[in-house]
Amino acid sequence: MNKTEQFQVSVAAGKRLIAKAVINMEQIKIASQEHTVVIISGSTNGYVAEELLKKIQQKDDFSKESFLRGVNVIHGAKIPKGKWSNTDVVIEKGIWVKGKTIFDVAADLGKNDIILKGANAVQPDRKLAGIQIANPKLGTSGPILEAVLGRRVQLILPVGLEKRVFGNIVEMAELINDSSTSGTRLLPITGTIITELEAINILSGAHAELIAAGGIFGAEGSCRFAVSGTDKQLTKMADIMHVVQKEPFF
């Protein structure tokens, strides 16, 4: 008989949870050793890159804190000084090829390869995500679309549920991509979307539902989950949560 337990994770803990799930996906295990995996820079993908590089014992001097391109910050936020890498993590047959970006390798990618790209909006029920576009040439989304749509490269979208939106992302894109609108554009995109919900299932086999969100004193943006499964599954999930819930703020 299944039981249900509740777990709450901060935004940073959610990113770590997603990262641990992604590197345990069978297609990632295979591609990271036999093909090419490209991890596009971004805050959630920084955790993914850290976990995967650790797994293949090549973490070296990688820093998720600088593994960023464009970011959304609140008005008046103090951004830490330091140079952002503006690069990606490219792993070719188990080897981290430092200095390469998606722009360098997109044309050589094929259907056995994988690209991981973060998102700025997600509709888990529709399996749809949205990527903000500020670059008039689409930024990294250009070569990603070329590889994914042109040569059937697999696309995985690790994205936390703090980025969930209501309504239809396609309709939102029609609104803000109109010539009369200012600000960033929005690219609706689909692929293998991994939120905390999918992460919990991948790591434990249990089923999760988002039942509450938010809070104060560090719980801002946090998510509370009802996780249902067998005793074995819930014990495994509790052990994992015990680790990820200690994750410091980004």
Side-chain angles (χ1 to χ4, degrees):
M1 180 178 176
N2 282 0
K3 297 180 180 179
T4 300
E5 294 185 9
Q6 295 184 26
F7 300 95
Q8 186 162 359
V9 296
S10 67
V11 173
K15 292 177 186 292
R16 181 65 68 188
L17 182 69
I18 290 168
K20 288 183 176 297
V22 167
I23 69 162
N24 276 284
M25 297 171 69
E26 193 62 30
Q27 58 265 52
I28 289 290
K29 292 179 181 178
I30 294 171
S32 63
Q33 292 298 320
E34 300 178 13
H35 306 291
T36 299
V37 174
V38 184
I39 307 174
I40 308 299
S41 58
S43 61
T44 302
N45 269 357
Y47 289 76
V48 176
E50 188 174 67
E51 290 285 339
L52 188 53
L53 290 172
K54 189 188 304 181
K55 187 171 184 178
I56 64 174
Q57 299 181 335
Q58 294 175 51
K59 186 173 178 292
D60 299 338
D61 56 352
F62 176 80
S63 169
K64 67 179 183 296
E65 286 74 18
S66 63
F67 192 62
L68 302 168
R69 278 193 174 90
V71 297
N72 287 326
V73 296
I74 200 70
H75 178 71
K78 294 182 179 180
I79 303 175
K81 294 182 179 180
K83 186 178 180 181
W84 293 355
S85 63
N86 283 328
T87 189
D88 306 312
V89 166
V90 177
I91 299 173
E92 297 178 348
K93 295 184 178 180
I95 303 298
W96 176 18
V97 185
K98 296 184 180 181
K100 283 192 176 183
T101 72
I102 183 64
F103 299 98
D104 300 315
V105 301
D108 298 319
L109 298 177
K111 64 180 181 179
N112 292 317
D113 301 316
I114 296 176
I115 296 172
L116 294 106
K117 168 70 175 173
N120 305 103
V122 63
Q123 285 180 284
D125 56 333
R126 293 176 180 266
K127 302 298 182 184
L128 191 64
I131 297 172
Q132 286 179 300
I133 303 292
N135 189 313
K137 294 185 178 180
L138 297 185
T140 60
S141 295
I144 289 172
L145 291 175
E146 173 192 331
V148 171
L149 299 180
R151 292 185 301 283
R152 301 186 187 277
V153 173
Q154 300 175 62
L155 178 63
I156 295 176
L157 300 159
V159 52
L161 286 172
E162 81 276 5
K163 295 177 180 177
R164 63 196 179 279
V165 296
F166 300 100
N168 188 306
I169 286 180
V170 173
E171 293 176 357
M172 294 175 193
E174 290 177 356
L175 172 67
I176 68 172
N177 293 345
D178 187 85
S179 59
S180 65
T181 306
S182 62
T184 58
R185 279 74 68 198
L186 186 68
L187 172 67
I189 195 163
T190 190
T192 303
I193 295 174
I194 306 295
T195 70
E196 292 91 339
L197 297 174
E198 289 79 15
I200 288 170
N201 181 256
I202 290 169
L203 291 170
S204 70
H207 174 77
E209 293 283 353
L210 176 65
I211 60 168
I216 59 175
F217 302 124
E220 295 86 349
S222 66
C223 292
R224 179 173 285 271
F225 301 100
V227 181
S228 302
T230 64
D231 286 337
K232 184 178 180 180
Q233 289 171 336
L234 292 179
T235 297
K236 186 172 184 179
M237 198 66 249
D239 290 342
I240 294 169
M241 286 295 188
H242 181 71
V243 174
V244 302
Q245 285 174 332
K246 296 177 181 178
E247 187 70 32
F249 298 133
F250 185 84

